[in-house]
Amino acid sequence: MLFDSHCHLQFDDFKKKDIAMYCYLTNNIAYSKFKLGDKSALKQLQETLKIRDSIQSIPIQITSKTYLGEYYLAHRDTLEANTYLKEAQLQAHQNNIFEDELKIIKLLQQANPIQETFYADRYIQLNDSLQNVERATRDKFARIEFETDEITSEKEIVKKENNELITKIWVVLAFALLSLFVIILWFMNKSQKAKTREL
């Protein structure tokens, strides 16, 4: 009991330090309770949504509303489920959070059997669009990688050519110095012979 009180105190302290993370954790705890059949989950989900509304965090609001919609759907209250799910879908769509929107559309499909075809089509369209974007992004990065490899290869070729050119320059320079040294020796030798002849 003392341990539980200590943990609860730490959790409340955490609420003061990082309210967004506190909401994220409590929402996940509430969702886990809901999945385990704990009836206290609803109250916790509603309380978390109120806190999230107060801090104006769109992703957190979407998650809360989605969980509440799923909760009411599981308890066959399609009216409440649709209220939360449609709000969540609208927010997700307006803020380009399409992964969440896909999940919400699946839940709306279950909550609206009469409009099942409409939501199924919407899901397919959105999923295809996301895959196209993902494919385009992947292709773009592949092209960038290919171009980078080409540039790297060209750099290596230029570097190799530069090294070969430098080597040739050193060989020519060494040959020129050696030739100059031989000429000087030859000239000195000839000069020495001429002096000897004069003597």
Side-chain angles (χ1 to χ4, degrees):
M1 187 72 181
L2 183 63
F3 177 74
D4 288 343
S5 299
H6 181 64
C7 284
H8 184 69
L9 182 64
Q10 283 184 329
F11 205 58
D12 285 344
D13 289 342
F14 188 62
K15 180 180 177 180
K16 293 171 187 174
K17 291 176 184 175
D18 191 341
I19 189 70
M21 184 57 73
Y22 172 83
C23 287
Y24 174 78
L25 292 172
T26 51
N27 210 42
N28 282 334
I29 290 166
Y31 186 73
S32 299
K33 284 181 180 179
F34 151 55
K35 286 295 185 181
L36 292 168
D38 189 334
K39 291 180 180 179
S40 68
L42 177 60
K43 187 180 177 184
Q44 197 167 5
L45 285 168
Q46 288 170 334
E47 285 175 357
T48 309
L49 180 60
K50 284 179 185 175
I51 297 171
R52 291 179 178 201
D53 284 340
S54 69
I55 62 172
Q56 295 296 308
S57 173
I58 299 296
I60 296 175
Q61 286 174 11
I62 292 167
T63 305
S64 282
K65 288 171 185 176
T66 304
Y67 285 170
L68 279 163
E70 193 174 344
Y71 176 91
Y72 282 114
L73 182 60
H75 290 82
R76 302 182 185 281
D77 188 345
T78 53
L79 187 65
E80 284 292 323
N82 274 308
T83 300
Y84 285 110
L85 291 172
K86 284 178 180 178
E87 285 181 15
Q89 188 205 358
L90 182 63
Q91 281 185 298
H93 189 75
Q94 287 174 341
N95 292 278
N96 300 327
I97 308 174
F98 298 122
E99 293 294 333
D100 284 357
E101 189 179 358
L102 281 175
K103 182 183 176 183
I104 297 162
I105 290 170
K106 274 285 184 188
L107 293 170
L108 281 166
Q109 193 178 348
Q110 295 172 39
N112 299 276
I114 297 171
Q115 294 179 290
E116 186 178 357
T117 307
F118 168 77
Y119 285 112
D121 289 343
R122 175 66 188 138
Y123 183 90
I124 291 165
Q125 287 172 6
L126 183 58
N127 193 47
D128 287 348
S129 296
L130 287 176
Q131 285 182 359
N132 289 337
V133 169
E134 187 182 341
R135 198 177 296 113
T137 304
R138 193 167 56 243
D139 290 346
K140 183 181 177 182
F141 279 113
R143 190 166 60 253
I144 290 168
E145 189 178 355
F146 175 73
E147 288 172 358
T148 304
D149 288 344
E150 274 194 331
I151 291 167
T152 305
S153 298
E154 286 173 5
K155 275 186 173 181
E156 288 298 321
I157 291 166
V158 170
K159 188 177 177 182
K160 189 178 177 183
E161 288 175 351
N162 284 342
N163 288 338
E164 287 175 358
L165 184 63
I166 289 166
T167 304
K168 285 177 182 177
I169 289 168
W170 277 112
V171 168
V172 170
L173 188 63
F175 182 75
L177 288 170
L178 183 62
S179 299
L180 183 64
F181 181 68
V182 169
I183 289 167
I184 290 169
L185 281 177
W186 178 80
F187 183 76
M188 286 175 68
N189 186 46
K190 191 175 181 182
S191 178
Q192 189 66 35
K193 280 182 180 179
K195 285 181 181 178
T196 303
R197 198 178 296 116
E198 283 177 9
L199 289 172

